[in-house]
Amino acid sequence: AQSVAQPEDQVNVAEGNPLTVKCTYSVSGNPYLFWYVQYPNRGLQFLLKYITGDNLVKGSYGFEAEFNKSQTSFHLKKPSALVSDSALYFCAAINTNAGKSTFGDGTTLTVKP
Amino acid sequence: DAGVIQSPRHEVTEMGQEVTLRCKPISGHNSLFWYRQTMMRGLELLIYFNNNVPIDDSGMPEDRFSAKMPNASFSTLKIQPSEPRDSAVYFCASSSGTGGRYEQFFGPGTRLTVL
């Protein structure tokens, strides 16, 4: 069975500082990995994905994620956080043979001015 | 593209009533997903369809829940009879499901309150 873990329920950073939201996965074969963001009272919004190739993936709003196969991790990063980045972030993985994504429990990011 | 469309956006009903939630996926997408989100249980996958066929309904909580996808542009999630513990935000999402495009696009959700 596939699983996704986000070990931190909450991450707090100061505006202008770098941020990292952690994700590890357990998926057989070569997974596709995703990050989504959810703002209050909204649906989840796709940020970026890793399929293959370069381990550093760039996405929307200045976010990027680093794929590490040996550590089975896919951490979300941003060099300089904004207050408007405050939201709930979900990591997800899919084994394309299974057809459905498995989501982590989410991490609440709070960026303070 | 208008994105995934869900209706109604809010639904308040009384215990025992039938509730029908509606979803229009993004045109051309082959996969459709229904999720439920609550503070207690987080985001749960209820059912997903591929090419209008239900593939995995293991997340459907019980027989009171049913979902249909009569064509590529419409799906419904029905709860009959509804109970207070069904109160949640229900999301519909769709994805291409081909060519490496497995990212899902979510609708705005239906906030269901069962009194």
Side-chain angles (χ1 to χ4, degrees), chain B residues 1 7 14 22 24 30 40 42 44 51 64 78-79 99:
Chain B
D1 197 325
S7 65
E14 293 189 347
R22 298 173 176 79
K24 177 179 170 55
N30 297 325
M40 291 294 293
E44 304 172 276
N51 293 321
R64 297 185 297 107
K78 185 177 293 187
I79 308 172

Side-chain angles (χ1 to χ4, degrees), chain A residues 23 35 55-57 64-68 73-77:
Chain A
C23 171
W35 276 102
N55 290 344
L56 187 64
V57 179
E64 56 191 28
E66 187 170 11
F67 171 68
N68 187 315
S73 67
F74 188 57
H75 300 333
L76 181 70
K77 300 182 178 184

Side-chain angles (χ1 to χ4, degrees), chain B residues 23-39:
Chain B
C23 175
K24 177 179 170 55
I26 292 173
S27 177
H29 280 188
N30 297 325
S31 298
L32 183 139
F33 307 82
W34 281 102
Y35 293 89
R36 177 171 69 177
Q37 187 177 36
T38 62
M39 290 293 292

Side-chain angles (χ1 to χ4, degrees), chain A residues 53-91:
Chain A
D54 194 350
N55 290 344
L56 187 64
V57 179
K58 294 187 183 298
S60 307
Y61 311 120
F63 283 93
E64 56 191 28
E66 187 170 11
F67 171 68
N68 187 315
K69 187 172 183 178
S70 63
Q71 297 185 2
T72 61
S73 67
F74 188 57
H75 300 333
L76 181 70
K77 300 182 178 184
K78 188 173 182 181
S80 179
L82 300 173
V83 172
S84 56
D85 293 330
S86 298
L88 180 59
Y89 290 81
F90 289 93
C91 180

Side-chain angles (χ1 to χ4, degrees), chain A residues 98-100, chain B residues 32-34 45-50 53-60:
Chain A
K100 64 180 181 180
Chain B
L32 183 139
F33 307 82
W34 281 102
L45 175 66
L46 301 177
I47 186 172
Y48 88 95
F49 296 83
N50 193 44
V53 176
I55 302 300
D56 185 346
D57 65 354
S58 60
M60 296 285 262

Side-chain angles (χ1 to χ4, degrees), chain A residues 36-56:
Chain A
Y36 295 83
V37 61
Q38 185 179 28
Y39 298 102
N41 301 313
R42 304 284 295 273
L44 280 68
Q45 183 178 334
F46 168 70
L47 269 182
L48 51 79
K49 67 180 177 182
Y50 172 83
I51 298 177
T52 186
D54 194 350
N55 290 344
L56 187 64

